[in-house]
Amino acid sequence: MDKPYTWKRTEETEIDLADLLRRLCGKWKQLAACALAAAALLGGYGWLKGRDVQDTAQKGAAQEAELTEEEEKSVADAVQLTKDVDSLQEYLDNSVLMKLDAYHKDKYVMLYCIDHAKRQELPRITESYLNFLLNGGAADALEAYGSKDWKMDKSYLSELVSAYQKTYSSPYQIAVAETSASGMFSESLFYVEITGQDAKAAEQMALDMQEILARHAKEVQETAGSHKLTLISSAKNVTADSGLQAQQQEKRALLSTSQANLKAMTDAFSKEQHAVYLDTAGMDKKEKQKALEEETGSQSGIPFKYIVLGLFGGVFAYCGAFACWYVLRDTVKSVAEMKRLYTFPCYGGIPMAAAGVKTGRVFLGKMAKQGGLPGASAIQGGQEYAKVCNRIRLACKKQGVAKLCAASDFPLQRQEKECLAALAGQLKGFGIELELADNALGDTDIWDSLAKTGQVLMVCRIGTTTHRMVDDAMGFYLENGIAVTGAVAFLPVF
């Protein structure tokens, strides 16, 4: 029985591993992107999985743990010490007073006088102001009012405001007593001291406090008695406060000691105690994760195993998908494949590099003008082009062909048309006329021209021309008595 396609040597398609690897290497950017994406996805999954497993294990251990009374007391002590450490750390981190330079403490002192007050009402009037300044009233007013944003915790703001009265000597007390006995109005003095983060902040807070006390004086008059509040003087100062220095050192030493004690307590815990401690200490997920890592000796939660697995998995997946795409596509994959499958001669392939379009156009234009063939030192594709041109010339000379048509079954690109035009110019110098038939089988207007010429040079494009297109074209040419002189292929550069 005759073969169904006489122009085929075999129906079996072989896989060219060298061509497959060459094309795969040309896709290295896509391969790297796929590997990185897979590593990111699998690494994220591993990280989430690790956190879930640790949380589940920790909760399960806490629920199943059975502790003795002494162990429970140790856990309770550790939980309380943890709260104390956290509170002390928060205080040191946020307190303005704890952050000050004790050797350069900026303060602003104001001296106030209360006069025109009755003797029996003066103590309660004075204590009303001192209570307002010392026990949070001034801090609340500063937070609600002020030319500067004093938005901070009330406890930290209260530390910056203090008030006091001086204790006077005996002669002054006797004079005050005689004045009171004579029925005259009494007077009282008190100081208001403002501590600031710097001199400007202390002065601004002092100015706000003056306005606040002026407003508060109206309330004191209504509740404690009639009087007049007067700011006598004010002064700015920078002092070295040994008391503040001692307080700062005491708090820091207490924090360090408490942290050491807490570590010693938790290090002595059993796994059950540690699980209960983490569950009841009020830690958030990040703190629990850190504590578990310290306990197990693990480093960061980054799952390097999953990342490496993702990299290799991404590479493998892309290579597998690309190999399937390469095998299942019906396109002609190389010039070697054309020579192996078909009986008609294939004169070779001409590289068409996308990056060299402009250079190729200049090169082909020079060839067309010069009418000569390029040497081996020409641009990319020049040597292959010379081989193709010479093989076509020799084949036409041997067969006595003076005119043939370069026919493609697909629309040609600009650089491909320019290449064929240059080829026609070269062959014309040898007495061979070459016509161009773009998309020959799809354009019925040029069929008469093909039949009249009677000789066809098939133009293929590797990666675009399919085996089905070659079979259809050959069937058409044989049915209409058109001889196929051979084929030439355009090669994409990967």
Side-chain angles (χ1 to χ4, degrees):
M1 180 179 292
D2 295 336
K3 294 182 180 179
Y5 300 117
T6 58
W7 57 86
K8 281 192 173 182
R9 299 181 189 274
T10 179
E11 294 290 338
E12 297 179 358
T13 303
E14 298 180 3
I15 299 175
D16 189 347
L17 292 179
D19 182 67
L20 173 59
L21 293 176
R22 181 175 62 86
R23 289 172 180 259
L24 184 59
C25 292
K27 300 291 184 181
W28 67 270
K29 292 183 179 180
Q30 294 86 335
L31 180 64
C34 182
L36 291 176
L41 290 175
L42 205 59
Y45 168 76
W47 180 71
L48 292 175
K49 182 180 178 181
R51 290 188 61 183
D52 292 340
V53 169
Q54 286 184 341
D55 289 343
T56 303
Q58 189 270 329
K59 289 180 181 178
Q63 293 174 356
E64 296 176 1
E66 294 182 1
L67 305 180
T68 64
E69 183 177 351
E70 183 178 353
E71 289 176 336
E72 288 181 353
K73 185 178 183 303
S74 298
V75 171
D77 293 341
V79 170
Q80 183 59 48
L81 185 56
T82 299
K83 294 179 180 179
D84 294 341
V85 169
D86 292 342
S87 299
L88 184 56
Q89 183 67 63
E90 181 181 3
Y91 173 73
L92 290 174
D93 290 340
N94 297 289
S95 173
V96 177
L97 200 63
M98 292 296 103
K99 295 179 181 179
L100 293 180
D101 182 2
Y103 294 100
H104 298 83
K105 176 182 174 182
D106 293 290
K107 65 179 183 178
Y108 197 98
V109 182
M110 297 173 288
L111 174 61
Y112 277 94
C113 174
I114 302 173
D115 56 4
H116 294 80
K118 295 181 180 179
R119 182 181 61 82
Q120 63 273 19
E121 295 177 349
L122 184 60
R124 62 186 182 187
I125 293 173
T126 304
E127 291 301 324
S128 295
Y129 284 108
L130 295 178
N131 181 56
F132 174 76
L133 292 166
L134 296 175
N135 295 317
D140 290 335
L142 275 173
E143 189 175 1
Y145 167 84
S147 57
K148 187 174 181 179
D149 188 10
W150 307 113
K151 303 298 181 183
M152 65 179 72
D153 190 87
K154 183 178 178 179
S155 60
Y156 307 139
L157 191 57
S158 298
E159 292 180 327
L160 305 179
V161 180
S162 62
Y164 56 88
Q165 282 186 293
K166 285 188 176 181
T167 302
Y168 296 98
S169 58
S170 297
Y172 181 81
Q173 294 178 354
I174 294 173
V176 170
E178 291 177 353
T179 302
S180 302
S182 63
M184 297 177 62
F185 290 109
S186 299
E187 66 177 20
S188 176
L189 301 174
F190 67 91
Y191 292 86
V192 180
E193 182 176 316
I194 303 296
T195 302
Q197 188 172 3
D198 49 43
K200 184 178 180 181
E203 183 177 4
Q204 184 60 57
M205 187 180 291
L207 295 176
D208 291 343
M209 185 57 66
Q210 292 175 17
E211 181 66 24
I212 290 170
L213 287 176
R215 296 183 180 186
H216 184 66
K218 299 178 181 178
E219 298 179 11
V220 177
Q221 288 179 355
E222 295 176 358
T223 58
S226 177
H227 68 282
K228 180 180 179 182
L229 179 66
T230 305
L231 175 63
I232 299 178
S233 64
S234 59
K236 293 184 289 185
N237 194 12
V238 179
T239 61
D241 192 336
S242 57
L244 175 59
Q245 181 190 18
Q247 184 181 357
Q248 290 175 342
Q249 293 176 347
E250 179 185 357
K251 296 293 184 185
R252 291 165 185 161
L254 178 60
L255 176 62
S256 179
T257 302
S258 299
Q259 289 175 336
N261 292 338
L262 178 61
K263 188 176 186 307
M265 293 175 67
T266 55
D267 288 346
F269 281 169
S270 63
K271 291 183 179 180
E272 292 78 9
Q273 283 180 296
H274 201 80
V276 175
Y277 165 72
L278 292 179
D279 192 55
T280 58
M283 295 183 176
D284 57 20
K285 288 186 177 181
K286 290 184 179 180
E287 292 174 331
K288 288 182 180 180
Q289 177 75 13
K290 183 178 179 181
L292 286 170
E293 288 175 358
E294 291 177 353
E295 179 188 11
T296 58
S298 62
Q299 299 299 319
S300 173
I302 300 176
F304 290 103
K305 178 178 69 175
Y306 285 91
I307 292 176
V308 173
L309 185 62
L311 286 173
F312 284 100
V315 172
F316 179 79
Y318 185 86
C319 291
F322 186 85
C324 291
W325 170 84
Y326 180 86
V327 171
L328 296 177
R329 284 193 72 192
D330 188 44
T331 57
V332 177
K333 299 175 175 62
S334 65
V335 173
E337 182 183 21
M338 291 184 66
K339 294 179 179 179
R340 184 176 63 250
L341 288 180
Y342 301 111
T343 58
F344 55 80
C346 180
Y347 300 125
I350 303 175
M352 284 285 115
V357 172
K358 181 176 180 181
T359 306
R361 183 167 63 249
V362 175
F363 167 71
L364 294 174
K366 289 182 177 180
M367 284 199 308
K369 291 180 180 180
Q370 295 172 358
L373 295 177
S377 60
I379 66 164
Q380 182 179 14
Q383 193 172 21
E384 289 81 0
Y385 176 88
K387 291 179 180 179
V388 170
C389 184
N390 273 313
R391 292 189 66 182
I392 295 173
R393 176 178 64 84
L394 292 175
C396 291
K397 182 178 180 181
K398 182 178 180 180
Q399 300 175 24
V401 176
K403 184 177 182 180
L404 74 162
C405 183
S408 67
D409 197 22
F410 54 89
L412 294 172
Q413 298 177 354
R414 183 185 62 181
Q415 55 267 46
E416 293 170 340
K417 291 180 180 180
E418 291 175 351
C419 182
L420 291 175
L423 180 62
Q426 294 287 327
L427 294 176
K428 188 175 181 180
F430 301 109
I432 302 171
E433 184 178 353
L434 179 66
E435 293 182 357
L436 177 61
D438 189 2
N439 194 17
L441 298 187
D443 188 359
T444 59
D445 294 336
I446 64 175
W447 286 1
D448 292 337
S449 177
L450 288 173
K452 183 179 179 180
T453 303
Q455 295 287 337
V456 168
L457 174 67
M458 288 184 61
V459 178
C460 303
R461 183 192 296 155
I462 300 300
T464 300
T465 301
T466 64
H467 300 96
R468 179 68 178 273
M469 291 168 62
V470 174
D471 294 340
D472 291 344
M474 289 299 297
F476 174 81
Y477 296 145
L478 292 180
E479 288 175 2
N480 293 276
I482 303 173
V484 177
T485 305
V488 64
F490 288 115
L491 307 177
V493 176
F494 301 97

